[in-house]
Amino acid sequence: MSNKKENIFDITLFKRLFKYTKPYRIVFYGVLLSVLIIGGLSIATPKLLQIAIDNHIKLKIEKGFLYYIIVMVILLVLQTIFQFFFQFYAAWLGQNIVQDVRVILFNHMLKFKMKYYDNSSVGMLITRAVTDMERIADIFGQGLFMIMRDLMVMVAISAFMLYTNLKLSLIVFVTMPIVLYATKVFQRYMKKAFEEVRTEVSNLNSFVQERVSGMKILQLFTREATEYRNFKAINERHKKGWLKTIWYNSIFFPIADFLSGITSGLIVYFGGLMVVISSTATAGELFMFIMMIPQLFRPLRQIADKFNTLQMGMVAAKRVFKIIDTTSQINDKGTIEAQDFKGAITFKDVHFSYVENEEVLKGISLNVKAGETVAIVGSTGAGKSTVINLLNRFYEINSGEILVDNIDIKTVTLASLRNQIAVVLQDVFLFADTIMGNITLNHPEITEAQVIQAAKDIGIHDFISSLPNGYFYNVKERGAMLSSGQRQLISFLRAYVTNPSILILDEATSSVDSYSEQLIQNATDKITKGRTSIVIAHRLATIQKADKIIVMDAGKIVEQGTHKELLKKENGYYRNLYEVQFLKADVA
């Protein structure tokens, strides 16, 4: 029995959500006070009507009748004022609470490991941060306080009915158990329906987000018809989920209206007999009861409707809190604040796996001297990018040590570690912002003058100046207004302007034009000069200039040395890569 109640409404979850009202307690109690006042006003007008009928209309006495009309108008104005206060501040409270929860959620998501994002749908996370948040706001704006108001009105009217005329009250209450039972069943089924709806909304958002982002691939491979069919199937499930809620509403609300009508008919019939035959009720009481029946049944009907809203909000809150409760952060317990690394890097027997029991790095040990440029080469899946990810602590190693300047990076605060390292990735990500915004990432200490000077230093100032609005050219989402080579140049400038102690380059120039490639090569030479640089090399020119080459295969370092040293090894891994991959790429 307790499980069923828990399924309908999660008290523990609600208590947790209720804690967010603490900063707004004055408004919260103000809304509660307006609930009490609205409940009191709900019985005042019917009572005045009863007095007016019994003492004036029935007795045909005109004197004093106008007084009741004036009081009714005043009460109506007061009810309107308090309804406004109630609805506005209930919604205001909901929006402020959601603002606070959304900030907490986003701040929590900013600290997640990359592994969390590797395993999570972007569309799902967007649904949690946007759509589900609005449902939580509805808990206060459209759910909780509305239910409290309606309950207050029902309690006030029921108590006043019993006080006024017990027999007429019992006639009214004869259908109430049926309505209450129907409401309970309705709520249980609606809870399940809303959980299904939220799941399908998340699936739909994920599907649309991924297909819009990958539209070029879909069109290149002529997958429009297939994805259209897939979308229709997902949309059909989404529609069926909503149709369940519509079906339950279509059953419940007509039943509630029918029972309200039946109750009014019973009051008219039996109440009329009581007025005419037994005189156990007055005409004013009869009219008052007829007026109060809709006020009693309408809130009950609305409570069921608002409980739907409350349940949708609770389902959304459960999903949001699930993310907030997720512990997927890098263990940032370091106490050392990194200032200026010299840049000496050491990996000591580092083991790592993305998936448990499937090692990607199998005991990597390497030394990079301060100021060296080291090229990492190897076939796809050898573990090259993993080395970069681990140095930045995007993932936690299984065992071993990673040191910078002989300091274990786990003892360094995460923010200060990453401030000392700049990364230029192969897959450049630009925000829908200006070039200046994408370079500085709104860092308050990086000035426009510094950005322009840095662009001149690495030889891309002329390219940026040639664009409309120059440094304030909006590149649109993911840098869609720029070519791949231009995006790469922007990422080089973004790394260079931070003046990092350690530079990591995933040097990818195979898909860019010769002009951009030359600019990238010049930029590479400039930004690697005088600082420790680790380059995942794709071009022979970069490899030949490296102070040391590390050759990886299947998660292990199989060779180390200079370009000339490694070429001398008969049947060596590097020599094979050089002849098969790098020479071919260089000729291309």
Side-chain angles (χ1 to χ4, degrees), residues 41 44-53 57 65-80 291:
L41 291 173
T45 302
K47 179 60 179 177
L48 285 171
L49 178 63
Q50 179 230 322
I51 295 172
I53 291 173
I57 296 176
F65 182 70
L66 182 60
Y67 165 78
Y68 290 104
I69 302 301
I70 293 172
V71 174
M72 283 183 187
V73 171
I74 293 172
L75 290 174
L76 182 61
V77 171
L78 285 174
Q79 195 167 11
T80 302
M291 187 176 181

Side-chain angles (χ1 to χ4, degrees), residues 92-322:
W92 181 92
L93 184 65
Q95 288 301 323
N96 276 276
I97 289 170
V98 158
Q99 175 184 284
D100 295 343
V101 177
R102 185 182 278 129
V103 168
I104 290 170
L105 174 67
F106 188 72
N107 185 50
H108 192 67
M109 289 167 59
L110 285 173
K111 298 172 183 176
F112 278 154
K113 299 177 186 176
M114 287 300 106
K115 185 176 181 179
Y116 180 85
Y117 294 103
D118 293 342
N119 298 324
S120 299
S121 159
V122 174
M124 179 273 289
L125 293 175
I126 291 172
T127 301
R128 300 294 173 267
V130 181
T131 309
D132 284 343
M133 285 296 176
E134 291 307 315
R135 300 289 77 79
I136 294 174
D138 289 341
I139 289 177
F140 297 93
Q142 300 292 328
L144 174 66
F145 289 118
M146 294 289 188
I147 291 173
M148 293 175 70
R149 180 199 62 184
D150 292 340
L151 282 173
M152 189 64 212
V153 169
M154 289 176 62
V155 169
I157 288 176
S158 298
F160 192 69
M161 281 181 170
L162 288 167
Y163 173 78
T164 304
N165 192 306
L166 180 60
K167 289 183 179 180
L168 284 177
S169 300
L170 293 175
I171 294 171
V172 171
F173 297 151
V174 74
T175 57
M176 291 294 285
I178 303 173
V179 178
L180 290 171
Y181 177 76
T183 302
K184 183 178 179 181
V185 173
F186 174 67
Q187 289 166 354
R188 185 178 297 119
Y189 280 100
M190 285 300 285
K191 174 77 166 11
K192 295 177 182 177
F194 283 137
E195 286 178 341
E196 184 177 333
V197 166
R198 298 315 310 152
T199 299
E200 293 306 330
V201 166
S202 181
N203 290 339
L204 188 62
N205 284 346
S206 298
F207 184 90
V208 172
Q209 188 273 333
E210 287 179 353
R211 270 57 184 183
V212 170
S213 298
M215 189 58 70
K216 183 181 288 186
I217 298 299
L218 297 184
Q219 293 183 355
L220 280 172
F221 288 90
T222 61
R223 301 293 294 171
E224 296 95 331
T226 300
E227 295 305 326
Y228 172 71
R229 289 193 297 271
N230 292 339
F231 179 77
K232 282 185 70 176
I234 291 175
N235 204 33
E236 179 68 19
R237 293 199 301 271
H238 178 260
K239 181 193 75 174
K240 286 180 177 178
W242 274 111
L243 283 178
K244 280 187 180 180
T245 68
I246 295 170
W247 169 251
Y248 297 144
N249 282 321
S250 300
I251 295 173
F252 174 75
F253 291 120
I255 289 175
D257 289 339
F258 174 75
L259 292 172
S260 176
I262 290 292
T263 305
S264 296
L266 292 173
I267 284 292
V268 170
Y269 179 74
F270 290 105
L273 293 177
M274 290 167 66
V275 171
V276 175
I277 297 174
S278 63
S279 297
T280 53
T282 66
E285 289 174 349
L286 182 60
F287 274 94
M288 183 185 73
F289 269 73
I290 291 172
M291 187 176 181
M292 282 184 167
I293 286 171
Q295 286 185 283
L296 181 64
F297 276 81
R298 191 185 307 117
L300 186 61
R301 184 184 189 277
Q302 289 175 343
I303 284 174
D305 194 23
K306 298 308 176 186
F307 203 89
N308 294 344
T309 302
L310 184 61
Q311 286 183 320
M312 286 189 72
M314 295 298 285
V315 170
K318 185 177 181 180
R319 293 171 185 268
V320 169
F321 284 134
K322 183 178 179 181

Side-chain angles (χ1 to χ4, degrees), residues 506-521:
D506 192 347
E507 185 216 38
T509 56
S510 58
S511 61
V512 302
D513 58 85
S514 57
Y515 174 72
S516 295
E517 183 177 348
Q518 186 58 50
L519 287 177
I520 290 171
Q521 191 59 56

Side-chain angles (χ1 to χ4, degrees), residues 346-348 350 390-391 397 400-404 407-409:
T346 305
F347 278 58
K348 291 185 178 180
V350 173
L390 296 182
L391 184 59
I397 61 177
E401 286 183 301
I402 301 176
L403 311 175
V404 176
I407 300 171
D408 191 327
I409 61 173

Side-chain angles (χ1 to χ4, degrees), residues 367-383:
N367 289 286
V368 179
K369 295 178 182 178
E372 268 191 336
T373 295
V374 174
I376 302 179
V377 300
S379 57
T380 301

